[in-house]
Amino acid sequence: MLLVKERIEVRSGVDMMGYMDRVSSGFDIGNVLTKIFNSLTSMFGNAFLVLIYVAFLMLEEGHAKEKFNAWYNEPGKRKVALDLIVQVDSALSKYLTLKTLVSVIPGP
């Protein structure tokens, strides 16, 4: 192995060991591993919170109609509220579709 290294150094005129020492002198593996671990911990923590939030949303979905009807006893107010919800849902759907298309178009 050393023979190959010496041949490369002689032919290229580059001190490989010196170059590797200079390149790796500013590299702190502990710092890199700490940053990776912190990022992973944060990512999994956020994912766990999102899962809890989604679980609560799904659990409440079955009772949403009952709560909505309890809030709006009068049919006129109920119709206005339903129309507003449909408009918000439609606008949000269009917005998310547009954002998705804009994000997909440039690619990676």
Side-chain angles (χ1 to χ4, degrees), residues 17-31:
M17 293 306 288
Y19 176 75
M20 293 301 290
D21 286 340
R22 284 191 306 275
V23 169
S24 65
S25 66
F27 186 73
D28 182 14
I29 188 72
N31 188 25

Side-chain angles (χ1 to χ4, degrees), residues 26-58:
F27 186 73
D28 182 14
I29 188 72
N31 188 25
V32 171
L33 290 176
T34 300
K35 287 182 180 183
I36 290 172
F37 181 73
N38 287 340
S39 296
L40 289 174
T41 303
S42 176
M43 182 179 69
F44 286 123
N46 289 338
F48 182 70
L49 287 176
V50 168
L51 286 175
I52 289 174
Y53 184 69
V54 168
F56 277 109
L57 284 175
M58 293 177 79

Side-chain angles (χ1 to χ4, degrees), residues 11-105:
R11 289 186 181 173
S12 66
V14 175
D15 177 22
M16 288 177 52
M17 293 306 288
Y19 176 75
M20 293 301 290
D21 286 340
R22 284 191 306 275
V23 169
S24 65
S25 66
F27 186 73
D28 182 14
I29 188 72
N31 188 25
V32 171
L33 290 176
T34 300
K35 287 182 180 183
I36 290 172
F37 181 73
N38 287 340
S39 296
L40 289 174
T41 303
S42 176
M43 182 179 69
F44 286 123
N46 289 338
F48 182 70
L49 287 176
V50 168
L51 286 175
I52 289 174
Y53 184 69
V54 168
F56 277 109
L57 284 175
M58 293 177 79
L59 288 172
E60 287 295 317
E61 183 182 10
H63 303 287
K65 189 172 183 178
E66 296 169 9
K67 289 180 181 181
F68 183 79
N69 289 335
W71 286 335
Y72 299 103
N73 292 333
E74 298 175 29
K77 288 184 178 180
R78 187 178 300 147
K79 170 109 172 74
V80 170
L82 278 174
D83 289 343
L84 182 62
I85 289 172
V86 167
Q87 287 176 351
V88 169
D89 183 51
S90 176
L92 187 59
S93 177
K94 288 177 185 176
Y95 171 76
L96 290 175
T97 302
L98 182 63
K99 280 295 270 186
T100 302
L101 287 174
V102 168
S103 296
V104 169
I105 288 172

